[in-house]
């Protein structure tokens, strides 16, 4: 079985990628073609766009060549840094008798010795190296000879390399310039309509988060998320909280709600804003995991946003106003239906601190009635707001 492997950040996929793959597929007939969008690359900074969206754009572009091309999520689902040699080991585990052809460009070939475990990788695959000037490029010749010492069947494919890069597309898109001649038209439309590379942080991240929600969450949970965003926006306006931060935290607060338990726990544990994670009740961990996702997939560094996402279920002592807005919006949004909701919503609109005290009391009472474990941070939060309101409230602005 012959497998062609083509990996990259694809941030975004462009016509140069398509041209390279076409040339490789003309070289020979492969039993399987695997496109491998990176998760967290071992040799690059984090990608500008989250994996799920990059994978979606890659599917649109590459499947127009052949509907049987597989777009793998192996690296995208890993929380560890991904390296090519580990990816090849994975593929060999799935297809133990396969011969793997690894498609790379000449730039990658010339920097190949910087790759982690490059000798091991070279022994495991046959490289297809795309080049337009192999005969004239002495540096490339030397690099290929070094590779062939470990991967003797390596092949040089001479091809016209299009002068296109993902960086160029991101720069043009960030300035509002046309990118339709550089990438698939459907991909270009997605980038433009969702502001994926917009220079303005909030325009970019809010639009990206809005696109992510239906990709990652099932219909009812996605609708809940949009309802939380609506109420968070309203409460933020009433109480003079940053509306962009509120919308962003609301859109991402449940982004890990339906992830598998192992992913939730691993993301929660690796977040650098988590305290006492192993003492937490499982139902609150998706907030911690979502904060990790927001930071590492979305590039969000704002501590208030991360805290609001993290604490939207359990609360905490000393909550900032953004945290209060998201906690209350999550509990009191449109689809929620319980006897005390209207009273609590009225209080939330009038005073965040009183709203939080009463909301926490209602939540703790409900958990006790169900016989569920109560998170210690919720108990601490209730004590905090009882004391705060007894002294006039709103001591943290």
């Amino acid at each position: 079985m012959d497998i062609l492997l083509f990996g990259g950040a694809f941030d975004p996929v462009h016509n140069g990628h398509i041209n390279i793959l076409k040339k490789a597929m003309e070289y020979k007939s492969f039993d399987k073609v695997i496109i491998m969008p990176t998760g967290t690359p071992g040799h690059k900074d984090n990608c500008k766009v989250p994996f799920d969206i990059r994978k979606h754009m890659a599917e649109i572009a590459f499947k127009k060549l052949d509907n049987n091309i597989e777009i793998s999520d192996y690296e995208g689902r890993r929380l560890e840094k991904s390296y090519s040699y580990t990816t090849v080991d994975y593929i060999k585990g799935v297809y133990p008798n396969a011969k793997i052809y690894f498609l790379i460009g000449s730039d990658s070939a010339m920097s190949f010795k910087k790759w982690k475990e490059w000798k091991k990788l070279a022994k495991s695959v046959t490289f297809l190296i795309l080049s337009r000037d192999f005969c004239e490029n002495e540096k490339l010749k030397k690099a290929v000879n070094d590779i062939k010492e470990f991967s003797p069947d390596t092949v040089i494919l001479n091809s016209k390399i299009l002068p296109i890069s993902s960086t160029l597309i991101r720069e043009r898109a960030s300035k509002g310039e046309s990118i339709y001649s550089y990438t698939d038209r459907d991909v270009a439309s997605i980038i433009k309509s969702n502001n994926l590379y917009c220079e303005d942080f909030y325009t970019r991240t809010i639009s990206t988060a809005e696109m992510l929600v239906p990709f990652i969450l099932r219909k009812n949970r996605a609708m809940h998320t949009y309802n939380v965003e609506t109420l968070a926006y309203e409460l933020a306006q009433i109480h003079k909280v940053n509306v962009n931060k509120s919308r962003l935290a609301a859109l991402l607060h449940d982004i890990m709600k339906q992830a598998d338990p192992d992913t939730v726990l691993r993301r929660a544990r690796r977040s650098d804003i988590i305290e006492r994670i192993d003492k937490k009740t499982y139902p609150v961990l998706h907030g911690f995991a979502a904060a990790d996702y927001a930071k590492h997939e979305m590039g969000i560094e704002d501590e208030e946003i991360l805290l609001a996402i993290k604490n939207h279920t359990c609360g905490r002592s000393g909550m900032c106003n953004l945290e209060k807005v998201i906690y209350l919006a999550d509990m009191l949004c449109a689809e929620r239906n319980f006897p005390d909701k209207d009273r609590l919503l009225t209080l939330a609109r009038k005073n965040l601190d009183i709203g939080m005290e009463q909301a926490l009391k209602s939540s703790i009472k409900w958990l006790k009635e169900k016989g569920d474990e109560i998170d210690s941070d919720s108990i601490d939060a209730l004590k905090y707001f009882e004391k705060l309101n007894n002294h006039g409230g709103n001591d943290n602005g």
Side-chain angles (χ1 to χ4, degrees):
M1 182 180 191
D2 291 337
I3 295 177
L4 177 63
L5 173 63
F6 183 27
F10 304 120
D11 190 22
V13 60
H14 56 68
N15 292 338
H17 295 134
I18 301 300
N19 187 59
I20 288 173
L21 185 59
K22 280 182 178 178
K23 186 66 178 179
M25 293 173 69
E26 289 170 2
Y27 166 70
K28 74 183 303 295
S29 177
F30 296 96
D31 298 298
K32 193 173 192 64
V33 176
I34 299 176
I35 306 297
M36 185 69 67
T38 56
T40 303
H43 60 290
K44 291 185 179 181
D45 294 333
N46 287 345
C47 297
K48 304 299 181 184
V49 168
F51 168 77
D52 291 275
I53 294 178
R54 289 186 287 113
K55 178 175 181 283
H56 176 66
M57 293 191 291
E59 285 175 337
I60 289 172
F62 287 119
K63 282 186 174 290
K64 288 179 180 178
L65 292 181
D66 188 329
N67 195 49
N68 291 322
I69 291 175
E70 176 187 334
I71 314 296
S72 176
D73 66 357
Y74 168 72
E75 289 193 4
R77 300 302 172 210
R78 285 169 56 86
L79 298 186
E80 302 83 5
K81 281 188 176 182
S82 297
Y83 296 100
S84 295
Y85 80 95
T86 56
T87 296
V88 169
D89 284 347
Y90 162 75
I91 293 174
K92 282 185 171 291
V94 178
Y95 305 101
N97 299 317
K99 181 174 182 178
I100 299 176
Y101 292 79
F102 198 141
L103 178 60
I104 61 174
S106 56
D107 288 347
S108 294
M110 286 187 286
S111 63
F112 183 64
K113 284 188 175 181
K114 296 179 182 178
W115 292 24
K116 194 172 183 66
E117 298 286 354
W118 69 272
K119 291 180 182 179
K120 177 181 178 181
L121 174 61
K123 291 176 182 177
S124 301
V125 302
T126 295
F127 285 102
L128 300 184
I129 301 174
L130 267 290
S131 173
R132 63 180 174 186
D133 60 355
F134 178 71
C135 294
E136 293 79 20
N137 193 325
E138 293 301 321
K139 183 178 178 182
L140 178 58
K141 281 184 178 180
K142 183 181 185 310
V144 171
N145 286 335
D146 290 341
I147 291 172
K148 281 188 172 183
E149 182 180 348
F150 300 94
S151 180
D153 294 336
T154 287
V155 177
I156 307 298
L157 301 179
N158 293 313
S159 177
K160 180 181 179 181
I161 308 297
L162 299 179
I164 302 172
S165 70
S166 296
T167 300
L168 171 66
I169 294 173
R170 293 196 299 267
E171 288 176 350
R172 291 184 65 88
S174 72
K175 298 173 183 176
E177 298 173 357
S178 175
I179 58 173
Y180 284 94
S181 61
Y182 300 100
T183 188
D184 177 89
R185 293 191 66 82
D186 292 330
V187 170
S189 294
I190 288 172
I191 292 170
K192 182 178 179 180
S193 61
N194 293 283
N195 300 299
L196 295 185
Y197 300 107
C198 179
E199 287 182 337
D200 181 75
F201 174 79
Y202 285 113
T203 300
R204 179 178 71 252
T205 49
I206 289 172
S207 293
T208 300
E210 287 178 328
M211 185 178 178
L212 272 174
V213 167
F215 277 1
I216 296 180
L217 300 175
R218 293 189 285 275
K219 185 176 179 179
N220 287 345
R221 183 55 52 177
M223 183 57 65
H224 163 75
T225 296
Y226 293 134
N227 287 341
V228 173
E229 180 193 13
T230 299
L231 182 53
Y233 182 84
E234 178 194 341
L235 292 176
Q237 285 189 310
I238 292 171
H239 298 292
K240 301 198 175 359
V241 176
N242 187 299
V243 293
N244 286 325
K245 290 185 180 184
S246 299
R247 290 184 64 196
L248 190 51
L251 286 165
L252 295 173
H253 81 286
D254 266 359
I255 205 71
M256 288 285 102
K257 179 74 172 181
Q258 293 169 332
D260 64 89
D262 180 62
T263 297
V264 170
L265 186 57
R266 290 170 68 208
R267 277 199 178 276
R269 279 180 172 161
R270 82 167 190 170
S271 174
D272 61 9
I273 60 170
I274 292 174
E275 311 88 9
R276 299 173 290 120
I277 193 63
D278 288 332
K279 296 181 181 179
K280 288 290 178 188
T281 60
Y282 183 80
V284 309
L285 289 186
H286 70 276
F288 290 71
D292 175 79
Y293 184 96
K295 183 170 186 176
H296 292 98
E297 291 285 338
M298 304 286 290
I300 296 171
E301 299 286 347
D302 187 289
E303 188 72 6
E304 285 191 347
I305 296 174
L306 297 176
L307 285 170
I309 294 170
K310 167 184 152 182
N311 294 308
H312 77 268
T313 299
C314 56
R316 71 178 179 97
S317 175
M319 293 171 76
C320 68
N321 282 344
L322 179 60
E323 291 175 87
K324 301 169 195 175
V325 163
I326 301 305
Y327 182 98
L328 291 166
D330 177 54
M331 183 175 180
L332 305 172
C333 62
E335 88 281 1
R336 301 290 198 195
N337 184 22
F338 57 94
D340 208 23
K341 176 187 169 180
D342 290 342
R343 180 182 74 89
L344 294 175
L345 187 54
T346 298
L347 290 174
R349 286 170 171 149
K350 288 181 178 179
N351 186 296
L352 286 176
D353 296 321
I354 294 174
M356 279 299 307
E357 178 185 343
Q358 296 302 313
L360 284 161
K361 284 181 177 178
S362 178
S363 177
I364 290 171
K365 178 183 177 183
W366 177 65
L367 290 170
K368 285 181 177 178
E369 289 173 352
K370 290 203 309 174
D372 288 351
E373 186 178 355
I374 299 168
D375 191 88
S376 61
D377 278 345
S378 297
I379 296 172
D380 291 343
L382 177 56
K383 292 177 181 177
Y384 167 79
F385 283 107
E386 287 176 332
K387 182 178 179 180
L388 181 66
N389 292 327
N390 188 49
H391 289 86
N394 201 29
D395 71 341
N396 65 349

